[in-house]
Amino acid sequence: MTWWERTALVVFMVLFMECFAWAMHKYVMHGWGWGWHKSHHEPHDNAVEKNDLYAVVFAIVPIALFTVGMWYEPLWWIALGITIYGAIYAFVHDMLVHQRGGFRWVPRHGYFKRLLQAHRLHHAVEGREGTVSHGFLFARSPAVLKEQLRRHAAKRAAGPAVAADRDVMAGTTSRRPVDAEHATS
């Protein structure tokens, strides 16, 4: 492999891992894998949380790829890209955002401040529903994320009766009304 093919593989994998991490965080960790991830959203004084099991599981893939990559070079570079993403993630998420390991820098402006704000807005919601900002290296504007949080909160406050009324008015459902107040004869 040429140096630029190796570099391209590593860079591609770092970018791919951000997409993969976003999907895993949104659909697995805040979905069926909430049992482990919940520990990350609850206050605690422990150095380790159940959520850290995800890092252990995710580390298996690059370890295997490094091993096989000894015989098939592209896999070694793919594993390096995944590992670099893991190191960036550990710095941004664990050290910068959650100040694990005694790291105590709070950015006052720029890219790192935006990442910090986005992840704090992610944690602004109790539970797994209605969260925003599931990525780790690319964050939307805090103003956009706050608006998303407001919309999620409004939907929750409206409840199923208002949603059912909206669907009936729009002609998008044939569901029966939720309660007698919304019933038609």
Side-chain angles (χ1 to χ4, degrees):
M1 293 184 73
T2 65
W3 70 267
W4 66 267
E5 290 172 321
R6 294 174 184 141
T7 303
L9 262 179
V10 170
V11 170
F12 172 80
M13 287 311 298
V14 170
L15 297 174
F16 170 80
M17 287 306 297
E18 174 65 1
C19 298
F20 175 79
W22 175 88
M24 290 297 294
H25 189 197
K26 183 173 175 88
Y27 297 111
V28 175
M29 294 176 181
H30 281 262
W32 58 266
W34 179 248
W36 284 3
H37 191 59
K38 181 180 178 182
S39 68
H40 182 63
H41 284 266
E42 296 173 335
H44 61 80
D45 292 329
N46 305 332
V48 178
E49 53 194 42
K50 198 171 193 179
N51 182 66
D52 294 333
L53 290 171
Y54 281 113
V56 173
V57 170
F58 293 152
I60 294 169
V61 173
I63 290 169
L65 290 173
F66 274 127
T67 303
V68 177
M70 292 168 49
W71 294 279
Y72 183 66
E73 185 181 3
L75 294 181
W76 195 93
W77 295 101
I78 288 170
L80 182 62
I82 295 170
T83 302
I84 289 171
Y85 179 83
I88 295 168
Y89 167 86
F91 170 73
V92 169
H93 181 263
D94 291 343
M95 294 172 69
L96 176 68
V97 174
H98 293 289
Q99 299 186 340
R100 291 175 86 176
F103 194 80
R104 297 287 180 253
W105 175 58
V106 178
R108 301 284 180 227
H109 50 79
Y111 171 74
F112 289 112
K113 180 179 180 180
R114 185 178 181 139
L115 289 179
L116 179 65
Q117 290 173 318
H119 199 73
R120 287 190 175 160
L121 289 169
H122 173 76
H123 281 271
V125 176
E126 277 191 42
R128 68 182 185 175
E129 301 294 328
T131 55
V132 295
S133 191
H134 295 91
F136 298 102
L137 301 183
F138 300 106
R140 298 182 80 182
S141 154
V144 170
L145 297 174
K146 287 177 185 177
E147 180 55 34
Q148 285 180 321
L149 285 171
R150 277 190 218 90
R151 283 196 312 267
H152 291 310
K155 281 183 189 177
R156 281 192 306 276
V162 172
D165 283 347
R166 186 178 55 243
D167 292 344
V168 169
M169 294 299 283
T172 58
T173 185
S174 60
R175 287 183 282 158
R176 294 191 345 219
V178 176
D179 55 34
E181 178 182 300
H182 295 91
T184 58
S185 351

